[in-house]
Amino acid sequence: MGSPTQGVEKQLAGGIFGNGPSLKKNSDTYYSGLVGVFSELFPDFGRFADAPRTPQEKSVVRGHLDEAFIYLRTDQERASAKMDELVRLLRTSSPEKPGQPVPPNSSTAGDPPSTGMERPPTLAGWNNPVGHYLQDRFNAAMSHDGLDVAVELREPDEEREAAVDESYRVLAGCLPEIGPSTAAMVDGIALFRGKPHSAYITGTPVVVYVNEDWITDALHGADSLLHETLHQKLVDFGLTRRMLRSGYLDADSSRAPVPWGGTGRTFSADRTLAAYHVYVHLTLLHCAALQHGDALGLPHSDDEVEARTAVRWARARYLGSRFDDPAMDRELDVDGRALVSWLWRANEELGTLALPSGRILATYDQAHGG
């Protein structure tokens, strides 16, 4: 291949948009303050505020605080109802604590590069009210997105645990600066059985969901882990930055046509920005897989990985170009526009890479698929 991808990785791993540890620290500080505020406003919740929590409980707490904080400004009754629901869930999470993490399997061949960051644990212990709540939110989110699916959260067996380890090893091996720090944005990985490959659900933050069969292919698994944890990274960035215009509502947003995934599909500005952010990074992952696949023991042919890279690059470029539309641009605020420009520079640099076939990546600009 052409020039290495380290320069683009360094760009995407740094600065206000890319520095994962800094974003994680800001997020932890923000939610520590929010817990304090809600503990004073809702004393029943305050009794649980300092209790040790499993990753699933952390997800439920943070998701409820996010929603209750929005209601607090406009509808005190709905905010109270949301906090009452949270207290009921926390009370019923004993005696069997949900979400006991499964220790990473040490039997997989090769270890990720030493980063000082362990991969998020694979989660277990779903047969309890907190686990049922998370599964219900997952199914509701998929139905809201127009998909007729039903998922089942699964207990990880030894084989699937090893597959998660291998996927993380590939992610860290391909992107040693971005992979581990982005994965560290979440508290746990939930395996499921169902149609989707993977998911991030806004209402159940700091947990990502990956199909238990999909992850048995390490490159697919690395792609899904990066994809979903990038959503968490962008959410955390948006806590303290002006991403979308004041008063933005997804339902009222200008929309971008999306020429893949079904006829007539469109994305709001928020979803377009999130997908753009993901696809630039997934392009980088696959460029690195082309360069380091043999060393990492990936079984995929260069032709297969090149085709996957082309789709991701073309989708990233397409999504970024949607913000050339003045109507879409008006949905952004100052930090959202800066993010679009930052991602565009990285993706255009990746577009100059020479691929194993001899083609330049940018020549695949129409490869986004149908």
Side-chain angles (χ1 to χ4, degrees):
M1 280 185 65
S3 59
T5 57
Q6 286 91 335
V8 176
E9 183 180 9
K10 186 174 182 65
Q11 174 192 334
L12 293 179
I16 62 170
F17 299 111
N19 188 326
S22 176
L23 291 171
K24 177 67 170 169
K25 183 178 180 180
N26 288 344
S27 172
D28 289 345
T29 301
Y30 174 89
Y31 282 100
S32 176
L34 203 59
V35 166
V37 168
F38 274 88
S39 294
E40 293 183 8
L41 292 173
F42 299 95
D44 284 349
F45 168 68
R47 297 186 182 96
F48 293 91
D50 296 326
R53 297 192 185 106
T54 65
Q56 277 102 321
E57 289 171 333
K58 291 178 184 178
S59 176
V60 167
V61 168
R62 179 162 161 174
H64 278 75
L65 293 183
D66 285 342
E67 293 184 43
F69 190 47
I70 294 171
Y71 299 147
L72 199 61
R73 306 169 192 172
T74 58
D75 191 332
Q76 179 70 41
E77 186 174 337
R78 290 186 73 181
S80 296
K82 200 68 189 175
M83 295 307 294
D84 288 344
E85 179 184 67
L86 173 58
V87 169
R88 287 195 299 272
L89 283 168
L90 293 178
R91 280 177 175 156
T92 57
S93 66
S94 297
E96 180 192 355
K97 284 287 187 181
Q100 301 300 330
V102 177
N105 191 319
S106 60
S107 65
T108 52
D111 294 320
S114 178
T115 61
M117 299 179 189
E118 297 297 327
R119 77 158 173 86
T122 315
L123 302 179
W126 296 105
N127 189 23
N128 50 69
V130 169
H132 297 160
Y133 173 84
L134 292 176
Q135 179 165 294
D136 289 346
R137 288 300 299 260
F138 189 161
N139 282 318
M142 293 294 102
S143 299
H144 179 72
D145 201 35
L147 300 175
D148 182 18
V149 301
V151 302
E152 176 189 357
L153 296 177
R154 301 282 289 170
E155 304 294 326
D157 58 22
E158 186 174 338
E159 178 184 357
R160 294 306 193 278
E161 185 64 24
V164 178
D165 279 340
E166 182 65 8
S167 295
Y168 182 81
R169 185 185 72 85
V170 169
L171 175 59
C174 286
L175 300 178
E177 293 191 60
I178 288 176
S181 65
T182 302
M185 304 297 294
V186 304
D187 291 326
I189 300 164
L191 300 181
F192 68 88
R193 176 180 291 171
K195 290 182 180 179
H197 293 157
S198 62
Y200 172 84
I201 309 301
T202 304
T204 64
V206 298
V207 169
V208 295
Y209 304 88
V210 183
N211 186 296
E212 66 174 0
D213 294 326
W214 185 251
I215 205 164
T216 57
D217 180 303
L219 184 56
H220 288 166
D223 183 272
S224 290
L225 290 176
L226 182 60
H227 182 157
E228 306 308 342
T229 55
L230 280 165
H231 284 312
Q232 184 66 62
K233 188 173 186 177
L234 190 61
V235 166
D236 285 351
F237 180 80
L239 292 174
T240 57
R241 295 287 177 172
R242 294 163 58 187
M243 302 295 291
L244 301 164
R245 63 172 173 80
S246 178
Y248 173 89
L249 292 173
D250 223 43
D252 299 332
S253 169
S254 296
R255 303 191 71 83
V258 179
W260 61 84
T263 304
R265 196 178 189 208
T266 63
F267 283 177
S268 66
D270 187 23
R271 188 169 182 181
T272 301
L273 187 62
Y276 181 34
H277 180 247
V278 165
Y279 274 116
V280 172
H281 287 77
L282 296 186
T283 301
L284 176 62
L285 171 67
H286 283 76
C287 288
L290 281 169
Q291 292 179 339
H292 307 300
D294 288 344
L296 291 168
L298 293 178
H300 306 276
S301 69
D302 282 349
D303 287 347
E304 181 183 353
V305 181
E306 180 170 326
R308 289 167 58 91
T309 306
V311 169
R312 284 151 181 77
W313 186 87
R315 289 183 179 182
R317 197 171 201 277
Y318 176 86
L319 292 165
S321 71
R322 296 311 90 192
F323 292 103
D324 292 340
D325 177 353
M328 287 288 285
D329 178 72
R330 283 194 293 270
E331 302 289 0
L332 302 177
D333 208 326
V334 58
D335 293 313
R337 293 191 181 96
L339 177 61
V340 168
S341 297
W342 182 73
L343 291 169
W344 186 267
R345 289 193 298 273
N347 205 55
E348 290 299 285
E349 179 66 23
L350 291 173
T352 67
L353 291 173
L355 301 170
S357 67
R359 289 184 64 167
I360 302 300
L361 181 54
T363 64
Y364 282 110
D365 61 319
Q366 297 301 311
H368 40 62

